[in-house]
Amino acid sequence: MLSIAGYDPSSGAGVTADIKTIAAHGCYGISCITALTVQSTRGVRRVVPVSGKAITATLDELVGDFVISAVKIGMLGSAEAARAVARFLKCHRFKTVVLDPVLVSSSGTRLLAPEGVQVLKRELLKLADVITPNAAEAAALTGIRIDSSQDRERTAQKLHELGARNVIVTGGHLKIPNDFLSMDSGARAKVLTGRKVSTRSTHGTGCAFSTALACNLALGKGLARATAAAKKYVTDALKSARPIGKGIGPVV
Ligand code: PLP
């Protein structure tokens, strides 16, 4: 399993958190860092991009050595990183590509530059098998605010029009934390019901969900079953997370 994502030194989100999730699924994780961040459980202070050249060289090195069963893409940081990842996906065909369109941290720091959002919309959405925006990310990509279940369907439809084949709008931040799965460019849909877990340890839930989804797909589950398994993994992680750090603690 290859995680292409940012580096969070507190290991709540980003590649080091992804490696923990991948290991918990019995898979082997490799990674390519797209940006460093200066952050702790108290928030993201700075984003330091990695050059497109270094990203391309890392990805080429890894793909030359490993059989990659699934790719998960998280924080990209810059337009240069987004372009390097798009080029990589166009050059190689992978069985499973999960894209978590990370845009802004919970603490309010931009995790993808505005020009990078355009690359994500124009190029990356159609190169992924499934995308996993939360309600805020889906709204930022489509301009539709999600207040009702109809809004969620319209949002998923708009994301399909932008080129995404399968969309999961995660609902962890909403009052009723249901996930909405829209498959085959909107031909089939499913609501996955959930219960709010009361915890302060929510940092990295998006990373854990998208990586668990990629692992379950790599292990051979279909999309609906893999989504349910990823949701269960995150719910169990939220329930068992220990309160580490002075801020929003890591979920895994
Ligand atoms: N840092 C990195 C490297 C991330 O990938 C993410 C989210 O995907 C974040 C920070 C933000 O996480 P949170 O929204 O839980 O603060």
Side-chain angles (χ1 to χ4, degrees):
M1 254 282 313
L2 168 63
S3 165
I4 304 174
Y7 175 66
D8 165 6
S10 70
S11 290
V15 291
T16 48
D18 288 349
I19 297 292
K20 287 189 273 179
T21 295
I22 295 167
H25 285 81
C27 301
Y28 187 82
I30 54 177
S31 60
C32 173
I33 296 178
T34 53
L36 304 178
T37 65
V38 177
Q39 73 172 298
S40 67
T41 62
R42 293 178 294 187
V44 181
R45 315 288 186 206
R46 245 177 93 188
V47 172
V48 184
V50 170
S51 76
K53 272 191 183 151
I55 292 168
T56 298
T58 302
L59 293 172
D60 286 347
E61 186 66 34
L62 292 174
V63 81
D65 192 24
F66 293 94
V67 174
I68 296 171
S69 52
V71 180
K72 168 253 155 97
I73 300 157
M75 175 189 169
L76 291 161
S78 67
E80 198 177 311
R83 280 192 209 100
V85 173
R87 266 197 309 272
F88 176 69
L89 294 179
K90 282 178 197 160
C91 287
H92 305 279
R93 295 208 62 81
F94 298 102
K95 210 166 140 247
T96 299
V97 178
V98 176
L99 170 67
D100 184 16
V102 176
L103 302 180
V104 181
S105 77
S106 308
S107 52
T109 306
R110 257 186 184 285
L111 300 179
L112 181 57
E115 204 191 323
V117 179
Q118 295 314 313
V119 179
L120 189 139
K121 279 171 84 167
R122 273 200 310 266
E123 299 193 44
L124 284 170
L125 289 185
K126 49 176 100 52
L127 291 167
D129 297 298
V130 51
I131 66 167
T132 62
N134 60 32
E137 289 158 350
L141 293 171
T142 61
I144 302 169
R145 217 183 96 177
I146 300 179
D147 286 323
S148 67
S149 50
Q150 283 100 317
D151 295 339
R152 222 162 38 166
E153 279 168 40
R154 276 202 306 133
T155 303
Q157 203 50 51
K158 185 81 198 277
L159 290 166
H160 289 310
E161 281 163 24
L162 289 170
R165 250 166 291 155
N166 299 291
V167 177
I168 304 166
V169 183
T170 59
H173 297 73
L174 303 175
K175 240 188 263 156
I176 302 168
N178 293 346
D179 295 338
F180 182 68
L181 165 62
S182 182
M183 293 174 275
D184 304 333
S185 303
R188 289 186 298 146
K190 201 172 161 78
V191 174
L192 291 102
T193 54
R195 279 239 185 107
K196 199 92 184 161
V197 180
S198 171
T199 175
R200 198 166 60 94
S201 304
T202 57
H203 176 45
T205 40
C207 298
F209 178 78
S210 54
T211 303
L213 176 69
C215 288
N216 279 291
L217 291 169
L219 291 168
K221 289 195 177 76
L223 184 54
R225 279 189 60 213
T227 306
K231 189 171 176 65
K232 182 175 182 328
Y233 174 76
V234 172
T235 305
D236 290 348
L238 285 164
K239 283 181 185 161
S240 62
R242 284 169 296 147
I244 298 170
K246 296 190 175 74
I248 310 291
V251 68
V252 287

